[in-house]
Amino acid sequence: MVSNSLLQQVAENYPKYVIEKRSIPSYVGMYTGDNEDAIFVYAKGKQSNDNDFDRKNNSKSDDFELTGSPLKLDLSLHTILDETLLPDEPQLWRKEESGHIPMDIEQARDIANFYNKSLAQMTKEDAIPMWILCNPSSVNKPLLLTIQSDEKTFSRGIVSYEGAMTLEEVDVEKIVEDFAAQEGLRNNSVNVSVNCKYVLSGVTYGCLNTDELLNAPHGGVTELLCSWSTKTLLTPYISCKVNYAQEVTVGHLASPCNTIWQSVTALHNINQLLVEITAAGVGSINLESATIRNKVQGMKQSNVKKRLNELLNLTEIYTYTAECPAGGCICITEDTNSLKQCLSAMRAKGSSNDFTYKLWDILRDCETAEELITLLLHTLKFVSSGKIRPFIDVNNKSYLSKLVLKLSRGHSQASKVLKNLQSSPPQALSLVAQVGMEKTMWEYTRVMTLLEHSFYINGIWNTDARTHESIEQINQTIQDMTMGGDFTLNPFESLGTSDQSIRLDSESFYGDDPNELTVDDFVSLKKHGLVSEKKDVNEVPLIADEIDISPWKNLLMKFAQVHVCLEHLYHAETCLRTDFAQLKPVASKLLEIYVSDKSPVKTVGQLMCDPVQKICIPITNNIVQDHLKKAAFWYRMEVNKKDDTKESSSKRDAKLVYVFSQTPVFPPSVWQYIEPPSDDVAEVTTVGEELKFHFTKYIYISNNLVRKLGR
């Protein structure tokens, strides 16, 4: 490897320049096709700093990563985050690269020659290429100079600006013929590979903190990466290979998926509290400061007390009636034709008319554990007054649902129960969280029914044998069971017997008595002294002494994994403009990636701290053909000799790389020297209806000739 002493020697001879070993800049990667380490050289300027050059983020990134150049963000932007917001202009260079200052080509050659002499004794494995940023105002408009030599070869390259042109003006056949003639080859011995990128939506914000990411104008970026080997720059949308690349920001304030994510983060916080209380005791936790709602700067604050009073008043008005649609889900109807429609309806009116589910939607937004317990007790006290008969869905078997039903019917032990809950914060918290767990499981399962993956999702909660089947097998099972007809899967069908069930068998405790008194009967009898205040011998305890929270850790992990899939699917539906049928294979692939032992997502807390998740998966062309008929954001064409070719009279290796881009590949510090000025780029790139691309070319040559770089 290149030693530090060698780098120091080069730096001492050229003190006016930044010379360091690092992963190559984004614009160099456009020509090399990789992100390997190199010696990078540029001039010092007011914006540059020797010791602060992308060292905070030296991790590997995807080839040709599209990055944004975000402005300072106003964290109140969530008030206007919608589809009418004008998109940021995508850039091919990273924000931190704006401080790279180019140098004169003659000076670049001096540095390259000096470094080249030092490589004379190095093996190919030890030698590291050097890239030098050049001022394109020189003759032939050079942008980059590179030396990649070793003890046996003399390798060099140069990137230059060739002008602006339309794709139709590029004669690929002529390029191949000229390269073949230059290298002494036949045309069919020349290899041509083309790849391009379509930017469908958004930009990426690699240098922002978590709060800024959640408030940024875009909640991710969606791209299509295409490749083919035919001799054309026009995308062959039937035969090209297409990869779907997407970055999503979990918890972004504009995402409708947050309706469920708020439940997940609140459950995560409650579970953390219960674990801490179990380990250290109730006295170790300050309930007045213990967080329930995930605090995000810029998020609107909810008035939970007002919302709770509205729920109680509404329940009192409609005491004995409640809409009970098929499956109990009010955000999915026969007219639901998109995830966006479903999630928007969920955000507007919730997912169920079940009283305890609606109560959870309010309590999860409490700021502290103290507030949550206070509002819970207020609710149960109101219910125990006998004024209302809250609607409870038949599938809701949680302890809180049973408690609400009993209290609304005038249970004699109501005051004792409320007193016990007040003195036992862990019991109150777990009582609420159990409902949240069930509701969240149910919501993810119901949403995924739109893509016919609810059977697989249900298996995740149960961890039964079906979770080991492939998604294709599961889909076939569903088809066999339905035989083309409607099939409604109860997501809680086997929860009572599952090893990972969060339900205890409570049916025996709460058997319905056909002779049970109504609220009015109970109040009347009690008024006349006909009902004893003492506990009936047949009356059972209202709630268990303890709710088992041990399975919750695994369930929360599954929630996080499924939620990332949902975020990706929502963005895919929106950007690709696809229907449920086209989204099914994408959903299957996402579940295979995220909901598995090899999943990159392990905890909810991980996503809260690092909300950005990326995928790159193959996709069938028929889903994106309309997009492929348009112009791509950039094209990259590489021309070289085929590996098995032995015709060439020269022993040298050579390749050409052409990049055609709608926006400059290099930052303004470099591009400003290219005529016309960058302010007039729009006039250059568009002429009438024809789109013109910036045209840059990279020439690379490696042979055993005299080791001297010509001037």
Side-chain angles (χ1 to χ4, degrees), residues 1-3 115 119 121-129 149-150:
M1 299 295 289
V2 174
S3 64
Y115 182 68
L119 297 174
Q121 305 302 320
M122 290 196 175
T123 63
K124 185 177 182 179
E125 291 73 21
D126 291 336
I128 295 180
S149 299
D150 55 61

Side-chain angles (χ1 to χ4, degrees), residues 598-617:
K598 296 181 180 179
S599 174
V601 177
K602 301 300 183 185
T603 65
V604 176
Q606 171 191 343
L607 293 180
M608 293 168 67
C609 296
D610 185 14
V612 177
Q613 292 293 314
K614 301 178 182 180
I615 58 163
C616 187
I617 59 176

Side-chain angles (χ1 to χ4, degrees), residues 416-610:
K416 182 178 180 181
V417 169
L418 296 177
K419 184 177 180 181
N420 289 342
L421 280 177
Q422 190 168 21
S423 62
S424 178
Q427 190 176 44
L429 291 171
S430 59
L431 196 66
V432 173
Q434 186 188 44
V435 173
M437 285 285 181
E438 289 200 2
K439 180 176 184 288
T440 304
M441 278 195 294
W442 178 76
E443 285 178 336
Y444 280 129
T445 309
R446 289 298 303 177
V447 171
M448 293 301 286
T449 60
L450 296 171
L451 302 172
E452 296 184 3
H453 284 71
S454 62
F455 194 73
Y456 179 81
I457 296 296
N458 184 48
I460 295 171
W461 317 139
N462 294 328
T463 61
D464 58 16
R466 291 192 182 104
T467 59
H468 302 293
E469 296 181 40
S470 69
I471 294 178
E472 289 72 18
Q473 291 173 315
I474 291 170
N475 288 339
Q476 184 61 46
T477 302
I478 295 174
Q479 186 175 352
D480 294 341
M481 294 175 70
T482 61
M483 299 183 67
D486 294 331
F487 174 68
T488 303
L489 177 70
N490 177 3
F492 300 134
E493 185 175 16
S494 58
L495 281 178
T497 57
S498 169
D499 292 338
Q500 298 297 327
S501 173
I502 65 167
R503 286 207 190 103
L504 301 179
D505 185 8
S506 57
E507 291 300 327
S508 60
F509 295 98
Y510 305 111
D512 292 330
D513 183 356
N515 300 315
E516 186 177 16
L517 298 175
T518 66
V519 172
D520 294 336
D521 292 337
F522 187 90
V523 172
S524 177
L525 292 173
K526 186 175 181 180
K527 181 178 180 181
H528 292 87
L530 298 177
V531 178
S532 172
E533 289 291 339
K534 295 182 179 180
K535 180 180 178 181
D536 292 345
V537 292
N538 295 324
E539 191 165 4
V540 297
L542 289 177
I543 55 177
D545 293 335
E546 184 178 347
I547 294 177
D548 182 15
I549 69 169
S550 58
W552 290 3
K553 179 180 179 181
N554 184 63
L555 281 171
L556 286 170
M557 177 185 71
K558 298 299 183 184
F559 289 166
Q561 294 172 347
V562 174
H563 190 84
V564 175
C565 296
L566 184 59
E567 290 277 6
H568 279 299
L569 288 169
Y570 166 72
H571 282 81
E573 177 188 80
T574 304
C575 299
L576 298 180
R577 300 186 292 277
T578 58
D579 56 23
F580 290 144
Q582 292 173 318
L583 278 178
K584 288 178 187 177
V586 179
S588 298
K589 187 64 178 177
L590 287 168
L591 289 170
E592 289 174 2
I593 294 172
Y594 284 106
V595 190
S596 68
D597 293 337
K598 296 181 180 179
S599 174
V601 177
K602 301 300 183 185
T603 65
V604 176
Q606 171 191 343
L607 293 180
M608 293 168 67
C609 296
D610 185 14

Side-chain angles (χ1 to χ4, degrees), residues 11 164 172 176 221 261 335 352 408 544 565 569 601 638 700:
V172 178
V176 171
V221 59
W261 183 241
D335 299 325
S352 170
S408 68
C565 296
L569 288 169
V601 177
E638 183 169 329
Y700 170 82

Side-chain angles (χ1 to χ4, degrees), residues 31 134-145 158-166 657-666 670-678 680-686 692-699:
Y31 304 98
C134 302
N135 186 328
S137 62
S138 305
V139 179
N140 297 325
K141 298 182 179 179
L143 291 158
L144 289 167
L145 195 67
I158 189 168
V159 176
S160 57
Y161 179 72
E162 302 293 317
M165 61 180 66
T166 64
V657 176
Y658 298 87
V659 173
F660 305 87
S661 59
Q662 291 192 37
T663 63
V665 178
F666 293 78
V670 178
W671 208 255
Q672 64 182 334
Y673 295 101
I674 294 176
E675 295 295 338
S678 57
D680 301 329
V681 164
E683 298 178 13
V684 175
T685 56
T686 55
K692 287 204 169 187
F693 289 77
H694 296 295
F695 176 21
T696 53
K697 180 172 68 173
Y698 170 42
I699 302 175

